[in-house]
Structures are given as structure tokens and as C-alpha cells.
Amino acid sequence: MKTGKTSPIRTFTRLAFANRASAVYLALVGGATAVAALEPLFTNSPDASLVWVWPALSTFPAFGFVAWLGEAGWGGDTPTWFFVGGIAVSALVQSLAVGAAWRGLRGRRSRRGRLTTAV
């Protein structure tokens, strides 16, 4: 027996991954993270670690909380895994927010109805 109600996991997946706005956002964050991860392999300069600023800035409103939590928990010795994991979680949280905004804007547009020609 099927009901008209969708599961919360399906709703989360649709909002966070299965729409254009969230997919573009996650592609940008993933690209910035891939470049940051591969940069030390191709560069010997001491400034290669500064490339991690771009993934952090692309997830910033949510990553600001992660940075604060790391500073509060470990002080100045926050481990790298915490920041990399924080970037991933922040990207997912913000992808969900982008998907919800996209759905809200698309829903408002589709509820207006279709334009017809006057007869």
C-alpha cells in the first residue's frame, strides 16, 4: 500500500543532491577541495597549504562554526582531519540550504499557474 508521503531520507537527498543548484554548488566545492588536495603534489613552495582557504571560504557560513568549534576544543592545535571533515559537513549542510531555497523559489513559480493567451 503506497501513501502520498515521502520519506525524510528521500526528501533530504532531493534537497541536498538531486537538483541543479545543489549539484553546481557541490561541484564547485568538490573542485576546490580536489585542487587543494592535489596542489602539494605539484608544488614545492611553502605557500601550498594556503590553497585550503578556497574550500573553507566556499563553505564559510557553516564552516565558521566548525572553525570556532575546533578552536574551542583544541586551541591552536586543531587536527587537519577535523577541518577537512568540517569542510565536507559544511558543504552538505549548505547544499541542503541551497536545495531548500531552490525548491522554494521553483515552487513559488510553479504555483502561479500558466500564462494563456487572451481570446
Side-chain angles (χ1 to χ4, degrees):
M1 177 200 279
K2 285 196 159 199
T3 62
K5 189 175 179 183
T6 59
S7 72
I9 294 173
R10 185 176 175 130
T11 303
F12 171 79
T13 303
R14 283 184 178 176
L15 289 177
F17 304 109
N19 62 62
R20 289 182 187 147
S22 294
V24 168
Y25 174 73
L26 287 175
L28 290 174
V29 173
T33 305
V35 168
L38 294 175
E39 181 71 22
L41 297 175
F42 301 112
T43 306
N44 292 331
S45 72
D47 293 336
S49 66
L50 290 176
V51 76
W52 280 99
V53 169
W54 295 110
L57 284 178
S58 64
T59 59
F60 185 69
F63 186 73
F65 178 71
V66 171
W68 172 80
L69 196 62
E71 187 67 28
W74 284 281
D77 297 330
T78 306
T80 304
W81 64 264
F82 185 78
F83 284 128
V84 174
I87 287 172
V89 169
S90 298
L92 288 176
V93 167
Q94 289 191 180
S95 174
L96 180 66
V98 167
W102 178 258
R103 183 172 137 194
L105 291 172
R106 296 280 297 178
R108 191 176 303 161
R109 193 174 100 188
S110 67
R111 276 185 248 131
R112 284 194 319 212
R114 304 260 184 235
L115 294 176
T116 59
T117 57
V119 180

